[in-house]
Amino acid sequence: MWTIEKKVLSVMKTVDGYMPPEDYVNTIFFSVFALCPEGYFPWSSRIYEAIILGAIPLLLADGIVLPFERFIPWRSFTVKMNVSH
């Protein structure tokens, strides 16, 4: 366990299956990174959930174009990984 700015963080938590909404929010809140695989579109609501809850979005998508890239410096607070690699 680590503590960074009053957030107690564990090394890794994996979830397989249903998770109650409160547990889902707490898991992201107490995480450094949040996996954000593409959904129906290359970007999904998981990105926004991660940002709002204070985690760094780890974007898993090929050729992703994020909304408002002209105005929002996405590279300064996200990590992109190509799925094909």
Side-chain angles (χ1 to χ4, degrees):
M1 296 273 190
W2 299 326
T3 303
I4 300 174
E5 293 190 14
K6 299 181 183 178
K7 286 176 76 171
V8 179
L9 308 167
S10 59
V11 176
M12 181 182 283
K13 181 170 186 170
T14 57
V15 178
D16 184 20
Y18 174 77
M19 176 183 267
E22 186 175 318
D23 292 345
Y24 175 77
V25 169
N26 285 333
T27 299
I28 295 174
F29 181 77
F30 291 107
S31 298
V32 175
F33 295 97
L35 293 178
C36 300
E38 59 187 338
Y40 293 111
F41 302 101
W43 50 272
S44 71
S45 61
R46 292 179 198 95
I47 297 169
Y48 305 108
E49 292 167 353
I51 293 167
I52 289 169
L53 294 169
I56 299 168
L58 180 55
L59 309 175
L60 304 175
D62 291 325
I64 188 170
V65 176
L66 294 167
F68 306 108
E69 283 191 340
R70 280 182 58 193
F71 309 106
I72 300 173
W74 289 99
R75 290 183 180 184
S76 67
F77 58 90
T78 62
V79 177
K80 289 184 186 180
M81 293 185 70
N82 288 334
V83 179
S84 59
H85 295 194

